[in-house]
Amino acid sequence: MPEFEWQFTLVLLTNGVMIGLMYALIALGFVLIYKATDAINFAQGEFVMFAGFIAAGAADLAGAPFWLSALLSISGMVLLGFGLERVVLRPLIGRPVIAVVMATIGLAAVLRGSATLAFGGGTRAIVMPVGDEPIALGAVMLPPVQLVGAAVSIAFLAAFSWFFLKSRIGIAMRAVADSQQVAMAMGIDVRRYFALAWAMAGVVSALGGVVWGAMLGVDNQLALVGLKVFPVVILGGLDSIIGAVVGGLIVGIVENLAAGYLDPYVGGGTKDFAPYILMIAALMVRPEGIFGRRRIERV
Amino acid sequence: MLALNNIEVVYDGVILVLKGVSLVAEEGRITTLLGANGAGKTTTLKAISGLLHSERGQVTKGIVELDGERLDRLPAPDVVRHGVTQVFEGRRVFENLTVEENLVAGAHTRSDFASVRDGIERVYDAFPVLRERRHNQSGYLSGGEQQMLVIGRALMSDPKVILLDEPSLGLAPLLVEEIFGIIRRLRDERNLTVLLVEQNAALALDIADHGYVMENGRIVLEGPAETLRQNSDIKEFYLGLNEVGTRKSYRDVKHYKRRKRWLS
């Protein structure tokens, strides 16, 4: 029976925060699309996987250096985002939500299949040029890959927050999310902003694919990371960037605490479902999430 | 000058909503479009602003012109760029945005940031309440403030023509008076062309220079506001007055049902 040790807890918490930030990055892709277009993207995990494959493939097959393969992955995912919006999502504008949901589920299968088709079924590696030697952060030793992942996450979460809150394009995007018809009447080309949202989700997925791919290796299993997006966004709020960060941190920490304190008693496995129990509880208590917007009701 | 010539609008490919509407809104004048629910007033505005596409409507015939330039068949953002902005009924603010962000979004078609800042200041000068509330989330403003915000937001695109849909809807009489005072001032100070859709005929004819009456997708009556105010059919059916000009009693309605003269 493990004694309570502050250092063990600290390790779990630090790990939770690091992983949580990286969940937040992936969840951000989901939030961007939901915020701007009201579409629920069930293919977010496959986006991440596909991006990982592009990066790993470029390095493995063409011998590209890390930075180049990351850049290739980002530009590839931007193109994919634009393309999917144009070909698959745009014709579905105005259709029931379920049509979009089913389309993205179909898309997920297509992406999984075509990644295997193009890059083979084996696991590929993404090698970050940062070494393997753990770095001491106070009393906690952390692998450099995780630190880079967390740093990238913080940088881009901050950048996207600024973009949405302060830039004119960000304000226009929020206006589109608020009411498409009124936005159109203001001269905002709604379809352009839909495309932009998908492209931005592509960027975020590419970053997620590279950092998660570097940690876990790239194969079909990488798409499973996307499933963690759901507890993150339900907890934080489907349409909130801050919510994605907080939700990501909660999920990361809960997961690690469950792994550290519950798994030894029950023989493992709680790590994988603890966030979902939290999600179900959140749906009952606060369905719009911690930072999600509530409908303003006038009385 | 905004001119509609024989506009026909069809929804869903089969439902004929506007059956040949022609009207003119003179520059620097307030033109009002009156009519009951479902007469086609809002559809007329959407036919001008290019917003029919989003609801499966289509201008199938006729021409919309602003100072000689064709506006029909242009997508909505281009119509705004040509200087025509619509204000929806029901105070449709971007609820989750602050007052100032609403204004910034309204200036979307203007690229020069300095002129946007300038426009915001001008709106605040016209509506001092909005300056006080600039950082408040607009969904929580009062009804009157929201109506001011949507008008201010429309001004941000620096329009020549503004299409106002029922600005009096659901507002207290005192507020309505204030809003209408502002509309009049915009005409006088900025030489703004206003096309005003209203159900409240008495109010609209009071500030308008010219008026049209719509029924069943057609214009049935037209004239200077002063003439329309004196028209006995308008008095009877829109102002609720009888021939002598006194308020109508419901007892009389039972006895004698007047027939609208334009339904011959």
Side-chain angles (χ1 to χ4, degrees):
Chain A
M1 186 170 167
E3 286 279 310
F4 183 81
E5 264 187 83
W6 68 267
Q7 192 164 3
F8 181 55
T9 313
L10 192 67
V11 171
L12 291 178
L13 285 177
T14 318
N15 265 312
V17 169
M18 296 286 153
I19 298 291
L21 283 169
M22 288 157 71
Y23 282 147
L25 186 62
I26 300 177
L28 180 62
F30 184 93
V31 169
L32 284 173
I33 288 175
Y34 183 78
K35 226 172 139 64
T37 73
D38 271 343
I40 294 172
N41 181 16
F42 276 92
Q44 184 60 35
E46 279 70 16
F47 271 41
V48 170
M49 174 210 73
F50 203 79
F53 266 116
I54 298 178
D60 275 9
L61 305 175
F66 172 76
W67 297 114
L68 185 62
S69 52
L71 266 177
L72 273 174
S73 172
I74 291 175
S75 32
M77 290 309 290
V78 167
L79 286 180
L80 186 74
F82 271 131
L84 288 179
E85 195 278 333
R86 189 78 192 77
V87 178
V88 182
L89 280 312
R90 192 171 293 186
L92 294 179
I93 290 177
R95 301 287 180 80
V97 180
I98 193 76
V100 180
V101 167
M102 289 301 159
T104 61
I105 289 177
L107 210 58
V110 172
L111 284 176
R112 258 198 315 267
S114 48
T116 314
L117 213 64
F119 300 100
T123 303
R124 292 174 185 277
I126 293 176
V127 185
M128 278 194 197
V130 288
D132 297 324
E133 205 56 38
I135 295 166
L137 198 76
V140 186
M141 302 293 274
L142 287 168
V145 179
Q146 245 185 52
L147 279 173
V148 171
V152 167
S153 302
I154 291 174
F156 276 84
L157 288 165
F160 277 101
S161 301
W162 177 88
F163 169 81
F164 262 98
L165 289 176
K166 296 292 172 208
S167 79
R168 281 183 72 187
I169 300 175
I171 290 174
M173 229 166 160
R174 275 156 62 213
V176 170
D178 207 305
S179 165
Q180 293 171 17
Q181 200 190 27
V182 181
M184 254 186 271
M186 297 295 103
I188 298 172
D189 189 344
V190 170
R191 286 175 309 186
R192 274 225 321 253
Y193 281 87
F194 282 10
L196 184 63
W198 280 88
M200 278 167 37
V203 172
V204 176
S205 307
L207 294 165
V210 171
V211 294
W212 277 101
M215 280 206 321
L216 305 176
V218 179
D219 53 25
N220 266 343
Q221 301 296 308
L222 190 55
L224 296 179
V225 179
L227 289 181
K228 287 282 161 57
V229 161
F230 297 110
V232 172
V233 294
I234 292 296
L235 282 167
L238 278 169
D239 51 13
S240 165
I241 295 181
I242 301 295
V245 178
V246 174
L249 290 176
I250 294 175
V251 167
I253 289 170
V254 164
E255 215 180 61
N256 270 279
L257 290 181
Y261 289 117
L262 295 178
D263 278 0
Y265 297 107
V266 296
T270 54
K271 175 181 196 278
D272 294 320
F273 68 74
Y276 293 94
I277 292 179
L278 214 58
M279 173 181 89
I280 293 167
L283 280 172
M284 293 177 201
V285 181
R286 199 180 160 86
E288 74 274 16
I290 303 171
F291 292 96
R293 66 169 185 239
R294 287 174 185 226
R295 297 235 162 273
I296 296 171
E297 302 215 5
R298 303 189 74 88
V299 282
Chain B
M1 184 180 85
L2 177 74
L4 275 68
N5 197 347
N6 201 24
I7 286 291
E8 218 177 74
V9 168
V10 173
Y11 274 109
D12 278 331
V14 287
I15 308 160
L16 185 62
V17 184
L18 295 191
K19 305 160 183 166
V21 169
S22 300
L23 63 84
V24 167
E26 296 282 355
E27 191 184 322
R29 295 261 180 276
I30 298 175
T31 306
T32 185
L33 187 55
L34 306 172
N37 275 338
K41 303 178 306 268
T42 301
T43 302
T44 306
L45 294 192
K46 285 183 178 159
I48 300 168
S49 59
L51 284 164
L52 285 173
H53 310 285
S54 60
E55 2 191 275
R56 308 207 280 181
Q58 215 186 347
V59 177
T60 47
K61 245 192 224 165
I63 298 172
V64 180
E65 274 184 343
L66 177 66
D67 301 330
E69 276 189 275
R70 291 278 297 257
L71 294 185
D72 50 302
R73 292 185 177 76
L74 284 185
D78 288 344
V79 176
V80 176
R81 279 192 193 90
H82 274 83
V84 181
T85 304
Q86 179 174 0
V87 178
F88 289 105
E89 73 177 304
R91 307 191 288 275
R92 303 270 297 274
V93 296
F94 295 122
E95 289 189 345
N96 296 289
L97 274 59
T98 65
V99 167
E100 194 148 305
E101 285 168 347
N102 264 276
L103 297 178
V104 171
H108 189 74
T109 50
R110 283 160 92 174
S111 48
D112 174 23
F113 192 69
S115 74
V116 174
R117 281 249 69 93
D118 212 49
I120 291 177
E121 284 309 313
R122 283 181 73 186
V123 170
Y124 287 158
D125 289 341
F127 307 94
V129 200
L130 295 184
R131 194 194 301 273
E132 284 166 40
R133 299 254 188 278
R134 63 202 295 174
H135 297 304
N136 291 25
Q137 195 184 331
S138 63
Y140 294 110
L141 297 183
S142 74
E145 289 162 352
Q146 287 186 336
Q147 187 61 52
M148 292 179 199
L149 178 56
V150 291
I151 294 176
R153 188 178 62 187
L155 293 175
M156 289 301 296
S157 63
D158 203 14
K160 292 183 216 148
V161 182
I162 184 165
L163 312 172
L164 275 179
D165 201 348
E166 305 235 6
S168 72
L169 193 78
L171 291 183
L174 216 60
L175 275 170
V176 173
E177 221 162 272
E178 192 180 344
I179 299 281
F180 275 50
I182 288 161
I183 297 169
R184 193 182 276 139
R185 225 170 54 224
L186 290 173
R187 171 195 61 186
D188 297 340
E189 290 172 9
R190 301 196 189 189
N191 197 34
L192 198 66
T193 308
V194 181
L195 182 54
L196 173 68
V197 159
E198 261 300 334
Q199 291 202 38
N200 189 337
L203 264 169
L205 286 175
D206 207 32
I207 72 161
D209 303 291
H210 202 86
Y212 291 84
V213 179
M214 266 189 110
E215 222 162 79
N216 277 322
R218 286 198 182 87
I219 303 278
V220 291
L221 200 63
E222 175 213 346
E226 183 54 34
T227 318
L228 288 182
R229 270 201 300 270
Q230 305 305 327
N231 181 298
S232 49
D233 280 355
I234 297 276
K235 276 188 192 166
E236 174 82 18
F237 294 108
Y238 289 98
L239 303 180
L241 304 169
N242 66 18
E243 296 273 7
V244 201
T246 51
R247 221 157 250 293
K248 190 160 75 178
S249 141
Y250 278 100
R251 214 170 55 198
D252 304 335
V253 183
K254 300 270 186 189
H255 283 298
Y256 156 68
K257 190 138 171 46
R258 189 191 168 94
R259 212 177 131 78
K260 291 173 187 166
R261 220 165 294 159
W262 56 73
L263 293 177
S264 52

